[in-house]
Every structure is written in C-alpha cells, then in structure tokens.
Amino acid sequence: MPVFGSGGTITQTEGSTVLWSTTRVPVQLVPGSATTLTNFDISYPHPAMDNAYGLDVTIDEMFGTIFTNCATYASIIPGEWESLSAPVATLPVGVNHFEIEVELTRIVEPSTYVGKPFPKSLAEGQRTWLNGGSCELERAGPLIRIFRFERIGNSIYLRRKQSIKDAGNQGIWAPGNSQYTGVGGYQEGWTYGSDPRCWPAHLIEAKSGGNVNKRRGEANACSTVDNSNYASTWRGTVIITPGYIAP
C-alpha cells in the first residue's frame, strides 16, 4: 500500500485502487454490518521433519581410550504449505472494501527452536488492525507463518501459508554423510537422516562420556525419534468491517 505525494496531494493506493487521498472522499465503513468471529482458530501443521546426528570423539593419548559423545536434533525439511478456508463471512451487496481487526492468543505452543521459545510476531491479547487484511504470525529461523483474509466474489476467506526456506545443502555435514572414515575408524561431525537441506531445530537427546560406541544406529546411540511438535494454533476474535471506496 504505497503512499505518495504529488502537487500537494497525498495519496494511498492498493494496486490501481485509491484508498485515501487528501482531495477525495475517504473510505466509508459500515460498522453496523460488521461480522464478529469469536473463538476463531488459525492453525498451522507440524512440518515434514528429518534429523541431524552429531558425533564427537576424544582419544586419551596415554591409555589409547576412545570416548564418544553424541547429540541429535529434530530437523525441519524445506517446503511450502497453503490452505484456503471455507467462507468465514459474506459482505453486503454494493460494498467494495473491507477491513480486519484481530485479537488473538496462541493456545497451542510449538516446540522450542534451538533451545528458545518459538517467537511470536503478533502481540497477544491486543486488538490489532491488519493493513491489507494480512499478518505475519510467527517466524523462527527458516520458518515463517502468515495469514490473509481475502475477498472472492462477495465472500471473505482465510488463507494460511507456511514456508520453510530451501537453502540447499546446509554444508555442515560430515564428508560422505558418514560417521566412519575411509578405513573404518570414527569420523566426527554431523550427519543428516534423509535430506541434506534440513534445518536442525529441536534437541532430541545428548549423551557424553564413556568409551562405548555412540555412532548413529549403534546400540548406545542417541535417539533419532522426533520428539518435537511445531504445530501452532492461535485463537481469538476477528472483526470484519465492510466499507465503500468511491471510484
């Protein structure tokens, strides 16, 4: 929604539509025809996941003892997800504009991301006007979640999007994605389970010390069972106010 000035006139537009100008009638809202949605949920799914496995090796030079440490992370795989709801409101005949206000609280908390609470982009429990009817809800590392209320015909729909950036091979993996050297010894570093693009996100398990084998797949290895849940749900009130913009 750019705002620009020309010849003493200040104008705000959306595409080819003039929303506001110092020389024309402003948007005429119709509060009496507003739709209020209560206990309204905006939810996002747990994304596709992989795992990252880290192996560290220490050798006691005096006794020749090999000590191994391991750590595993649930890792997010790049991808896109999008969903368009059924109609959530119907606009009165003759209007050509609508505005959105929300007051939302996150009621389903995602797992921590690299040890920290999953960030919130929207202030909770606070009535907020959404410029253009859209909003970024959450962003952590490569993952971003947004939503938008949009008009199709005379109905209003909710569109949700979840995007995990694809940056290619993360470049942190051990040579050949192997915990073994070319002659069968220990090779330190990180390996991925199935997808080299995955982003390590949530600690599954860590083990340290002891002269036992902790390589991936061995009896004393760290678990690779995904114990994360990055699903998220926000709930609250949505107010949809119709209006009219003069042509």
Side-chain angles (χ1 to χ4, degrees), residues 43-96:
S43 299
Y44 296 86
H46 183 51
M49 303 293 290
D50 191 16
N51 61 70
Y53 196 102
L55 181 69
D56 177 68
V57 180
T58 303
I59 301 176
D60 186 317
E61 299 291 350
M62 181 175 293
F63 298 100
T65 305
I66 298 176
F67 298 95
T68 57
N69 310 301
C70 64
T72 47
Y73 278 82
S75 304
I76 303 174
I77 296 175
E80 303 292 328
W81 175 86
E82 182 175 344
S83 177
L84 183 67
S85 73
V88 299
T90 301
L91 297 177
V93 175
V95 305
N96 59 4

Side-chain angles (χ1 to χ4, degrees), residues 8 30 51 53 59 77 106 127-128 131 151 174 179 193 208 222 237 239 244:
V30 190
N51 61 70
Y53 196 102
I59 301 176
I77 296 175
R106 192 162 70 185
R127 188 159 168 173
T128 305
N131 191 0
R151 178 179 181 175
Q179 296 179 107
S208 61
C222 286
T237 300
I239 302 172
Y244 178 75

